[in-house]
Amino acid sequence: MQAAAARAGNAGAGQRAIHAWLLLLPALTLLVAFTHWPAVATLIDSFYSTPRGSRPGVWVGLENYEVMWDDPVFWHAVRNNLWFAGATIPLSIGLALVMALWVNERLAGRTLVRMAYFTPTVLPMIAVANIWLFFYTPQYGLLEQITGSLGLPSHNWLGDPSTALAAVTLVAVWKEAGFFMIFYLAALQTLNPSLKEAAAIEGASRWYFFRRVQWPLLMPTTLFVLVNAVINAFRLVDHIFILTRGGPDNATTLLLYHLYEVGFKFWDTGYAAAITVVLVAVLASVALVQFFVLDKRVHYR
Amino acid sequence: MKNNTLYGATWLDTLGAWLLALLWVLPLAYAFWTAFHPPEYATRLALDAPWTLDNFRRAWEAAPFARYFLNTAVLVALILAAQLVLSTMAAYAFARYRFPGSNIAFALVLVQLMITPDLLLVENYKTMGHLGLVDTLTAIGLPYFASAFAIFLLRQTFMGIPKELDEAARVEGASALQILWRVYVPLARPVYTAFALVSVSFHWNNFLWPLIITNSVESRPLTVGLQVFSSVEQGVEWSLITAATLMSVAPLLIGFILFQRQFVQSFMRAGIK
């Protein structure tokens, strides 16, 4: 009797497992086809030469990586990307925090201010880059008109290698800060208001309250935003297409943009695979750091 | 009195917040100015400048915008529909079934949060080539149909739904799919709305992958069309470009202004795990 019930249970469990896998099948198939398989195939491809015409790619070992090592544009892209990340991450997160603290208060016209901060997030980067392009235009662009009225000399912001990267970085910060603000705002609104009252009664200064109470409690949010910001720093290239196309003299070439050029302008798929491996490795290590290091340091409520 | 000003906004905060807000809308405000005025006023602010819609007419004629709009709308709808159906099924399996391999399967899903299809451009392009889908709307959407983010979000939501509801429905003889459709989906409606807003705005804005996989007007979405349009080197016409830019962002912008609160809340909800 009991054995029969157990057998029936097992049959039920087996049937339920089949059901579960059937439910998962469509999504998993697509995930494997467009994420896992291409990731593995990219790694394999990075050891093969680029097929030319009817000639298939041949095993070349680490040759693509050697090409990469000797490619000055690749190193340009690495340096630029590190610079871009080093500037966008702290700037956009810092601004986001300030914005969130502001619009969390009872501020005159709070809804409008919040909307103003968030608007860039909703709009396509490619579209707003068109507008920024005009800002940076030499002679009659908006920035020129402002600096001109102050009596400063004319400057080609996007055309000068020393300012081009900073100019595209600024656009990225403008685009991202409002997005990160939303997460800080959400977190601030879940904080217990009595904390604030207690701190005020104790006579703690606002800065003290922020540093000792709000900031530590916002840590999980900061981690979440930080991971997003790091990922975005390696993924955000849309505005490069409109603003600079990687120029002048590769001053604004980022890794993903370089990958695009190698893969789809020069059709060097072997080398492109090697660059993709580097990019994926960077993002995978961000994930690992998140899972194993930062997660343990942050106290979740 | 003291309670009211509890670290509240001082006039300095208000001023700072407003200045930053002005700075943030400046690009858009400028685009509005230029798009609605004759080209000769594109670079100078004169209060007596006449208003005109001519730039929009010319921009509309200069590129097949109607086609781009249609493509983008179909694309966004296609992706969202596929994402909702596929991730609902997967999330339900993860939330309510115990089966061997579920942890591995879930780990496989989570990988996509870090390594998204747009990084694997070259390989995915090859796949589309093999499938004969290059330069189609399906090719733009297909890599995004299974969204790890949606699966994760819905799984969390489904796990929060009391099991008793599930069991009660089962006792009454409802099948798994019926339960999913009648119990889980309605209860998760706010999460669906949140995800829909995030998904629509993401895919409306997506650029790199559509740029690569399309090469004809028939399949190009707005973002790619806009780029092709504005890179025509025939003397930069700012009024034309800003008009075109505003046209392509208008649906999103209007939607955002109308549903501002929902937008912000949905992004908030999507961000909190």
Side-chain angles (χ1 to χ4, degrees), chain B residues 10 69 74 83 105 109 111 128 143 178 182 204 246 251-252:
Chain B
T10 62
F69 267 108
V74 171
Q83 282 177 334
V109 169
V111 166
M128 293 304 168
Q178 279 172 327
R182 300 256 171 80
W204 191 287
L246 283 186
L252 277 183

Side-chain angles (χ1 to χ4, degrees), chain B:
Chain B
M1 185 62 209
K2 179 122 207 226
N3 253 344
N4 277 338
T5 53
L6 218 92
Y7 306 127
T10 62
W11 66 270
L12 208 64
D13 287 307
T14 311
L15 185 71
W18 271 96
L19 277 180
L20 196 64
L22 283 179
L23 211 61
W24 243 242
V25 294
L26 191 64
L28 206 59
Y30 164 74
F32 267 101
W33 169 268
T34 312
F36 284 102
H37 289 95
E40 55 271 30
Y41 292 95
T43 56
R44 70 194 169 90
L45 224 68
L47 287 176
D48 58 345
W51 294 78
T52 175
L53 288 174
D54 196 48
N55 299 318
F56 290 93
R57 186 187 55 77
R58 286 194 304 140
W60 186 267
E61 283 164 2
F65 273 102
R67 184 76 215 193
Y68 295 157
F69 267 108
L70 181 71
N71 290 344
T72 301
V74 171
L75 175 71
V76 166
L78 186 73
I79 293 177
L80 183 62
Q83 282 177 334
L84 291 183
V85 173
L86 296 186
S87 50
T88 298
M89 286 162 54
Y92 185 57
F94 282 126
R96 281 298 179 255
Y97 285 84
R98 293 164 144 271
F99 56 97
S102 67
N103 286 334
I104 295 169
F106 193 56
L108 281 176
V109 169
L110 291 185
V111 166
Q112 199 214 31
L113 290 177
M114 278 301 151
I115 306 166
T116 52
D118 40 334
L119 280 180
L120 303 160
L121 298 166
V122 180
E123 213 56 50
N124 281 336
Y125 186 89
K126 277 189 206 164
T127 308
M128 293 304 168
H130 290 311
L131 294 173
L133 287 173
V134 172
D135 200 25
T136 61
L137 285 177
T138 316
I140 308 179
L142 203 50
Y144 298 99
F145 280 1
S147 160
F149 181 56
I151 295 173
F152 185 81
L153 210 61
L154 286 172
R155 170 182 167 269
Q156 299 293 93
T157 314
F158 288 170
M159 290 201 308
I161 291 171
K163 253 192 164 132
E164 289 74 26
L165 282 175
D166 195 317
E167 279 154 13
R170 192 150 304 185
V171 168
E172 294 191 6
S175 73
L177 285 179
Q178 279 172 327
I179 295 168
L180 176 59
W181 183 246
R182 300 256 171 80
V183 179
Y184 283 81
V185 172
L187 284 173
R189 194 168 291 153
V191 179
Y192 281 107
T193 315
F195 177 76
L197 284 172
V198 174
S199 168
V200 166
S201 62
F202 180 86
H203 289 287
W204 191 287
N205 296 345
N206 201 12
F207 170 70
L208 190 55
W209 172 244
L211 170 78
I212 286 163
I213 202 72
T214 63
N215 43 40
S216 73
V217 167
E218 280 67 43
S219 58
R220 235 176 241 154
L222 271 168
T223 45
V224 180
L226 198 61
Q227 187 253 357
V228 172
F229 173 73
S230 68
S231 56
V232 176
E233 305 282 356
Q234 40 176 345
V236 195
E237 275 209 72
W238 291 111
S239 359
L240 211 59
I241 290 180
T242 47
T245 303
L246 283 186
M247 280 195 313
S248 11
V249 301
L252 277 183
L253 203 57
I254 293 168
F256 173 59
I257 290 166
L258 288 179
F259 302 104
Q260 190 258 139
R261 192 169 286 273
Q262 284 90 328
F263 251 103
V264 170
Q265 278 170 351
S266 74
F267 274 89
M268 278 184 181
R269 191 175 288 124
I272 305 165
K273 292 185 184 175

Side-chain angles (χ1 to χ4, degrees), chain A residues 10-84:
Chain A
N10 274 341
Q15 207 177 20
R16 281 180 68 74
I18 292 170
H19 278 173
W21 279 105
L22 283 176
L23 284 167
L24 286 178
L25 195 65
L28 277 186
T29 311
L30 286 169
L31 280 167
V32 169
F34 296 107
T35 301
H36 304 108
W37 165 246
V40 174
T42 300
L43 186 64
I44 297 170
D45 273 6
S46 72
F47 299 115
Y48 280 85
S49 70
T50 302
R52 297 277 178 221
S54 57
R55 192 160 50 90
V58 292
W59 175 269
V60 293
L62 290 174
E63 201 175 282
N64 284 320
Y65 292 92
E66 281 160 19
V67 170
M68 182 163 79
W69 191 263
D70 294 330
D71 176 9
V73 182
F74 171 75
W75 290 109
H76 243 304
V78 169
R79 273 197 304 276
N80 289 343
N81 223 144
L82 289 176
W83 197 97
F84 183 74

Side-chain angles (χ1 to χ4, degrees), chain A residues 134-158:
Chain A
F134 173 76
F135 274 36
Y136 289 135
T137 307
Q139 266 86 54
Y140 56 89
L142 191 78
L143 215 57
E144 285 285 273
Q145 295 195 13
I146 294 169
T147 53
S149 68
L150 295 173
L152 297 167
S154 170
H155 185 76
N156 187 350
W157 299 95
L158 293 170

